[in-house]
Amino acid sequence: MIDTASIPEGPVELRAGSERLARFCREVLAAAGADAASAEAAARAMLHGSRLGVDSHGVRLLPHYAAAIAGGRVNGRPAMRLVREWGAVATLDADDGHGALAAYTAMDHAVRIAEAMGIGAVAITRSSHFGPAGAYALAAAEQGMLGLATCNADSLVRLHDGAARFHGTNPIACAMPVAGEEPWLLDMATSAIPYNRVKLYRSLGRELPEGVASTVAGEDTVDASRAEMLAPLGGAFGYKGAGLAGLAEIFSAVLTGAGLSFELQPMNDPDMSRPRGLGAFVMALRPDAFIEGDKVAARMRRYRDALRASPARPGGRVMAPGDREWDEAHRRDRLGIPLDPDTVAAFRSLAERYAVNLPF
Amino acid sequence: MIDTASIPEGPVELRAGSERLARFCREVLAAAGADAASAEAAARAMLHGSRLGVDSHGVRLLPHYAAAIAGGRVNGRPAMRLVREWGAVATLDADDGHGALAAYTAMDHAVRIAEAMGIGAVAITRSSHFGPAGAYALAAAEQGMLGLATCNADSLVRLHDGAARFHGTNPIACAMPVAGEEPWLLDMATSAIPYNRVKLYRSLGRELPEGVASTVAGEDTVDASRAEMLAPLGGAFGYKGAGLAGLAEIFSAVLTGAGLSFELQPMNDPDMSRPRGLGAFVMALRPDAFIEGDKVAARMRRYRDALRASPARPGGRVMAPGDREWDEAHRRDRLGIPLDPDTVAAFRSLAERYAVNLPF
């Protein structure tokens, strides 16, 4: 299940269709200096977020991406290349290009390796913000593979019993094909909540849930205006969330040579000229690598069906990972993708600056 | 960091040295019908648990394992074999043997594959209870590899918003070598707490923490005597813990063809004659697969050093995954391993039944 914090909680100004939004994203990014592959990959990742309701990683990122490409933080015309390739692994040097292009490219390569070897793993280095991790896990599932994707990010989450930002929200995503249906899809930050929720609650004057954010001294707070850092997933068992963030960190930064969370230039740093040197890691597995594929497909179906049929608490609903997001995607395919006032204003400004037609 | 619930919270009757305990475990298992490899692997895994303070997966399991082997649930003389081997993957048919022998055997094979291919993955099928997942991740790290291990287990944990047992405690473990020091070691159940904690609190009449266990109707309870199932990790964000349990389930049961959590005979079922058909999954990665090994080693050191140096909250202590457990192991190496009264009584009974010398 995707970190659903971003399924629209804020004000919606208007809605737009995903095709028109994708076109707008591509044209703005191209005008800002992106080549076709970069614009296409970034738009695809943003639309993944926007269709599935992960608005924090949806088209809301377009102004940021355009500025990063125009400023030179992100190389709009990268020459991404595999700098190591052996056995069932490879390393992709993303040439400071867009993180979405890097991650889709790496996952496609991991899928090709897995076709031949049963499993394929690709480390990504010299990359940039990649948006929704689930998009890349899903890209593997769309090719019939079990996909895994992770990255680290600039420090925002304290350690268990910690009083300083240490890890990023370091997401872990996994997608598994389900025959004839949409994939099982887990895409979770290893923090207790997403930082966007804190910002939203701050602007709405709402109290945070208990134990998800801390003051500058590391003390728990429900006051969003005093929240300086996030708690790791797990509450009193936050060592588990911190440990999972560490898993993401080891794969994304230690194995790849990319920056550790606390070494990274913050995403929101106003300097848009310096590449951030982000790492990430993707993996693909052939579902039929270990036993016959039809058996795997039948078991996966049985597993998800049983999960959905498991009794719910009064007032609750049991869902499989991804169910809420696929429901939201179908709703948005009908109604259009909701855009908040800030995003609408930013789009108007981008349309004018780059002489691109608005998507609404 | 290991699921530390089991670092001794209960009464300690006496202590015994790990060598003597390992010898006792091997001799009892051999007398119950285990061959040398099975007895050795099971003792090694139990001593991992007992040295590191994970007592729920330590020598406390010996009476259960002896009964399972004597009764035929676990095949004491298995002919484990790789039934598939291609590319960077393999499938181990464990012939209903002891889960520890299966997992060590599978991980050794994954390490050999990873030496040649950069990564190696081995699915385990027709296996049995394997004890502490961290033991097998650690076995990879002891050979210089990043190790991952997971398994599923019989249903004990509700889904997010669920009102019935669905997943097992489905652990995920990862170990990464740190040059010249003990490995970074994460070994976590995907439930909010271990079931043993509930049982212990029930016997002590203590209240559980909020939101970690539910009544038969799926309602949260702090009354250990009313706790019928565990909550998934994450509290209000329990869809993350349930999603991680699903990840373990897909790797351990869907990909391997082994039983899904809700299909498994419970571990505590009195029928000790029927094999449980458990699955598990292990993976090894060469740390120098993606960039130069000395760079990885330096980064891993820097990462763990920075983590340990991160400021703590008042009264708290920041630790890296595994730190608490390695501290406990050093303490137990000096003082001996604490044994609770039930375990001491069971050991006396085993010693008499099998004519084996007690370890204390």
Side-chain angles (χ1 to χ4, degrees):
Chain A
M1 187 166 305
I2 292 198
D3 210 334
T4 49
S6 40
I7 284 183
E9 298 181 290
V12 173
E13 181 151 327
L14 51 77
R15 290 176 181 268
S18 57
E19 287 303 322
R20 303 187 84 184
L21 280 172
R23 189 265 311 153
F24 182 71
C25 291
R26 284 193 303 268
E27 290 181 5
V28 166
L29 293 174
D35 60 22
S38 299
E40 170 62 32
R44 180 180 169 197
M46 284 187 279
L47 267 295
H48 169 95
S50 284
R51 272 193 75 231
L52 273 66
V54 193
D55 288 309
S56 56
H57 293 89
V59 296
R60 187 183 288 175
L61 288 168
L62 180 63
H64 174 79
Y65 286 159
I69 289 169
R73 175 191 285 188
V74 170
N75 178 359
R77 303 183 181 283
M80 296 190 183
R81 65 198 177 92
L82 295 168
V83 287
R84 266 202 194 197
E85 250 187 304
W86 67 283
V89 302
T91 305
L92 178 75
D93 179 334
D95 194 22
D96 296 318
H98 197 285
L101 180 61
Y104 282 125
T105 302
M107 187 57 97
D108 283 348
H109 195 72
V111 166
R112 286 196 299 277
I113 299 173
E115 279 165 359
M117 298 281 180
I119 188 169
V122 179
I124 302 169
T125 188
R126 291 214 301 144
S127 188
S128 65
H129 190 262
F130 81 8
Y136 316 107
L138 182 62
E142 286 170 350
Q143 298 174 70
M145 297 276 173
L146 189 165
L148 290 159
T150 190
C151 75
N152 67 337
D154 47 294
S155 296
L156 199 55
V157 187
R158 65 168 172 79
L159 293 163
H160 183 59
D161 273 344
R165 294 177 172 195
F166 188 77
H167 288 122
T169 49
N170 295 13
I172 296 173
C174 179
M176 173 73 180
V178 182
E181 289 186 22
E182 271 142 341
W184 181 97
L185 177 60
L186 175 74
D187 180 357
M188 54 171 272
T190 52
S191 55
I193 55 164
Y195 191 55
N196 282 300
R197 175 94 64 115
V198 173
K199 289 197 286 190
L200 178 65
Y201 279 31
R202 195 179 289 161
S203 73
L204 298 175
R206 273 178 66 180
E207 279 201 349
L208 293 167
E210 298 273 354
V212 301
S214 304
T215 66
V216 69
E219 287 158 355
D220 284 350
T221 183
V222 295
D223 179 350
S225 70
R226 295 182 65 222
E228 282 293 317
M229 62 191 90
L230 307 178
L233 175 68
F237 310 91
Y239 57 88
K240 296 189 184 188
L244 290 168
L247 190 67
E249 192 80 24
I250 290 171
F251 275 89
S252 305
V254 174
L255 294 184
T256 67
L260 295 164
S261 286
F262 53 84
E263 298 166 338
L264 294 173
Q265 179 199 18
M267 182 184 175
N268 295 325
D269 189 296
D271 177 1
M272 280 291 176
S273 67
R274 193 156 53 98
R276 293 176 68 217
L278 277 169
F281 198 95
V282 299
M283 212 186 286
L285 282 91
R286 270 182 73 152
D288 62 350
F290 306 97
I291 60 167
E292 297 76 4
D294 55 347
K295 287 191 186 162
V296 173
R299 300 182 82 69
M300 188 62 204
R301 171 62 69 93
R302 187 161 86 248
Y303 169 63
R304 191 159 74 172
D305 287 352
L307 194 163
R308 287 173 173 164
S310 189
R313 308 209 265 191
R317 182 182 158 205
V318 163
M319 285 182 285
D323 282 357
R324 180 194 293 268
E325 292 71 29
W326 295 122
D327 283 356
E328 184 66 19
H330 299 149
R331 213 168 74 89
R332 292 181 173 204
D333 288 346
R334 290 195 314 275
L335 303 176
I337 287 162
L339 300 173
D340 62 88
D342 288 352
T343 300
V344 169
F347 278 21
R348 291 193 199 280
S349 156
L350 287 169
E352 193 176 324
R353 182 180 324 154
Y354 292 118
V356 167
N357 288 330
L358 278 166
F360 42 75
Chain B
M1 186 167 305
I2 292 197
D3 211 335
T4 47
S6 40
I7 284 182
E9 298 181 290
V12 173
E13 180 151 327
L14 49 79
R15 290 177 180 267
S18 57
E19 288 303 322
R20 304 187 85 183
L21 280 171
R23 188 264 312 153
F24 182 72
C25 290
R26 286 193 303 267
E27 291 182 5
V28 166
L29 294 174
D35 60 21
S38 300
E40 170 62 33
R44 181 180 167 196
M46 284 187 277
L47 268 294
H48 168 95
S50 284
R51 271 194 74 230
L52 273 68
V54 192
D55 288 309
S56 55
H57 293 89
V59 295
R60 187 183 286 174
L61 289 167
L62 179 63
H64 173 79
Y65 286 158
I69 289 170
R73 174 191 285 188
V74 170
N75 178 359
R77 304 182 179 283
M80 296 192 182
R81 64 198 179 93
L82 294 168
V83 287
R84 267 203 193 197
E85 250 188 304
W86 66 285
V89 302
T91 305
L92 179 75
D93 179 334
D95 194 22
D96 296 319
H98 196 284
L101 180 61
Y104 281 125
T105 301
M107 186 57 97
D108 283 348
H109 195 71
V111 166
R112 286 196 300 276
I113 299 174
E115 280 164 359
M117 297 281 179
I119 190 171
V122 179
I124 302 168
T125 187
R126 291 216 300 145
S127 188
S128 65
H129 189 265
F130 82 7
Y136 316 108
L138 182 62
E142 287 170 348
Q143 297 174 70
M145 298 275 172
L146 188 164
L148 290 159
T150 190
C151 74
N152 68 337
D154 49 294
S155 295
L156 200 54
V157 186
R158 63 168 172 80
L159 293 163
H160 184 58
D161 273 344
R165 295 177 172 195
F166 188 77
H167 288 122
T169 50
N170 294 14
I172 296 173
C174 178
M176 173 72 181
V178 182
E181 290 184 22
E182 271 142 342
W184 180 98
L185 176 60
L186 176 73
D187 181 357
M188 53 172 273
T190 53
S191 55
I193 54 164
Y195 191 56
N196 282 299
R197 175 96 62 116
V198 174
K199 289 196 286 189
L200 178 64
Y201 279 31
R202 195 179 289 161
S203 73
L204 299 175
R206 273 177 67 178
E207 278 202 350
L208 292 167
E210 296 274 353
V212 301
S214 304
T215 65
V216 69
E219 287 158 353
D220 284 349
T221 183
V222 295
D223 180 349
S225 70
R226 295 182 64 222
E228 282 294 316
M229 61 192 90
L230 306 178
L233 176 68
F237 309 91
Y239 56 88
K240 296 189 183 189
L244 290 168
L247 190 67
E249 192 81 24
I250 290 170
F251 275 89
S252 306
V254 174
L255 294 184
T256 66
L260 295 163
S261 286
F262 52 85
E263 298 167 338
L264 294 173
Q265 179 198 20
M267 182 185 176
N268 295 324
D269 190 295
D271 177 2
M272 281 289 177
S273 67
R274 192 156 54 99
R276 293 177 69 216
L278 277 169
F281 197 95
V282 299
M283 210 185 290
L285 282 91
R286 268 182 73 151
D288 63 349
F290 306 97
I291 60 167
E292 297 76 3
D294 55 349
K295 287 190 186 162
V296 174
R299 300 182 82 69
M300 188 60 205
R301 171 63 68 94
R302 187 160 88 247
Y303 169 62
R304 192 160 74 172
D305 287 351
L307 194 162
R308 287 174 173 164
S310 189
R313 308 210 265 192
R317 181 182 158 203
V318 163
M319 285 181 287
D323 282 358
R324 180 194 293 269
E325 292 71 28
W326 295 122
D327 284 356
E328 184 66 19
H330 299 149
R331 212 168 75 88
R332 292 182 173 202
D333 288 346
R334 289 195 314 275
L335 302 177
I337 287 163
L339 301 173
D340 64 88
D342 287 353
T343 300
V344 169
F347 279 21
R348 291 193 199 281
S349 155
L350 288 170
E352 193 177 324
R353 182 180 325 154
Y354 291 118
V356 168
N357 287 329
L358 277 167
F360 41 75

